[in-house]
Amino acid sequence: MTFHRYDEPEVIEEGLRLGEDDEFTYECWPQMYNDRLVLRSKKDPYTYEYGWCFPKQLGVAVAAALAVWNPETQDEPVGWHKRAVQNIRRAPRRDEDPAYNRERCVHGSYMDAYCTVDLHCPRDRARMTEDFDELLRRNSLGGGLTEEQKRAEAERQQRAEWIREIRELHLLLEHTPAQLRRIAEIVEALEGDAAAREHWERAARAGNRDAKDYLTVVNEEAAEKEEERG
């Protein structure tokens, strides 16, 4: 497949057409409570095979996600909070980006990290329940929490606080440069450098100096490592 992102969106009846590949057109459909990125089939334009719901921001969140997404190597975009259909997309060259293409929960967060959208995500709730049950079992045997258990509990509480904060930030229709930087910091803490990269870039484009300085350092370190390998 070859993906083509339009320089200017095309106005259509449902919303905006933002790009296309050999099989689909990539469109933003405003809904009552969210904006939806839809991959509409060229063979059957009355249906769409894949879709993702984003915060309702006049299409801004959808356009930002599409701007940094490579559908040829990456399964799904970032920033969505719900799949619009049950189909889970798989990119044709997904093996080229295994770190990005890790499994995600129903809210779009990686399965090996805590959900950044819903503090009560069923996946996380099950994990937290298992961890808490294990703490109770050990406590009943040993009488009091060990230092390791205290650290683990503190980490869980910190993650819960980060998730609460990022949920509140996601609800805002517009973000200041400082808020965009904070989102990048939280995503990096929860999901790692790769997942946070686009958020740092977004904060930098918005004019946040800390984000610009961070990306400068990261890029310089990457260049040094590349030279060492060369």
Side-chain angles (χ1 to χ4, degrees):
M1 64 168 284
T2 301
F3 173 66
H4 172 61
R5 186 181 294 106
Y6 296 167
D7 294 330
E8 295 292 336
E10 175 186 343
V11 178
I12 58 176
E13 182 178 354
E14 296 85 352
L16 297 174
R17 184 167 293 148
L18 305 174
E20 64 180 295
D21 62 27
D22 302 335
E23 298 182 67
F24 304 101
T25 54
Y26 292 63
E27 302 174 2
C28 176
W29 293 5
Q31 306 292 303
M32 182 173 293
Y33 298 111
N34 58 65
D35 292 331
R36 186 169 295 176
L37 174 58
V38 166
L39 271 59
R40 193 206 294 247
S41 171
K42 289 183 175 180
K43 293 182 179 180
D44 185 3
Y46 296 101
T47 64
Y48 60 89
E49 192 165 341
Y50 305 104
W52 302 270
C53 299
F54 289 79
K56 192 168 184 63
Q57 298 176 342
L58 301 177
V60 173
V62 171
L66 190 60
V68 298
W69 183 31
N70 182 356
E72 298 180 23
T73 60
Q74 298 173 337
D75 293 340
E76 300 179 286
V78 296
W80 52 272
H81 57 261
K82 182 177 69 173
R83 293 186 181 99
V85 294
Q86 293 186 353
N87 298 335
I88 299 177
R89 184 181 182 274
R90 292 291 182 258
R93 305 198 330 261
R94 67 189 310 267
D95 292 344
E96 297 179 20
D97 199 348
Y100 182 95
N101 292 322
R102 307 195 312 277
E103 293 298 318
R104 298 177 183 269
C105 74
V106 295
H107 303 107
S109 296
Y110 286 120
M111 292 293 285
D112 54 5
Y114 278 85
C115 182
T116 58
V117 175
D118 189 351
L119 182 59
H120 303 291
C121 179
R123 181 275 315 270
D124 286 349
R125 187 162 62 245
R127 183 191 305 180
M128 291 179 180
T129 299
E130 291 174 0
D131 292 345
F132 186 68
D133 288 344
E134 179 63 14
L135 276 177
L136 290 178
R137 186 187 70 80
R138 293 183 181 180
N139 188 38
S140 65
L141 295 175
L145 298 178
T146 66
E147 289 302 316
E148 180 180 354
Q149 291 169 341
K150 291 178 181 178
R151 285 194 299 269
E153 181 61 23
E155 289 177 2
R156 276 192 293 275
Q157 292 177 4
Q158 178 63 77
R159 283 182 175 274
E161 177 61 24
W162 282 334
I163 292 169
R164 181 199 61 76
E165 183 178 355
I166 203 169
R167 286 182 67 193
E168 292 178 353
L169 288 169
H170 276 311
L171 291 175
L172 299 176
L173 294 180
E174 295 182 3
H175 297 93
T176 66
Q179 288 170 335
L180 292 173
R181 184 205 68 211
R182 182 56 180 158
I183 290 173
E185 292 173 341
I186 296 174
V187 172
E188 182 174 320
L190 289 169
E191 300 192 15
D193 296 341
R197 173 76 187 204
E198 63 169 299
H199 297 284
W200 284 112
E201 292 175 346
R202 187 179 175 194
R205 288 195 300 268
N208 184 264
R209 182 164 296 278
D210 289 340
K212 292 179 180 179
D213 292 343
Y214 170 87
L215 288 174
T216 297
V217 172
V218 170
N219 291 335
E220 289 176 351
E221 291 177 349
E224 291 176 359
K225 292 180 180 178
E226 188 65 28
E227 289 181 2
E228 291 175 358
R229 286 196 295 266

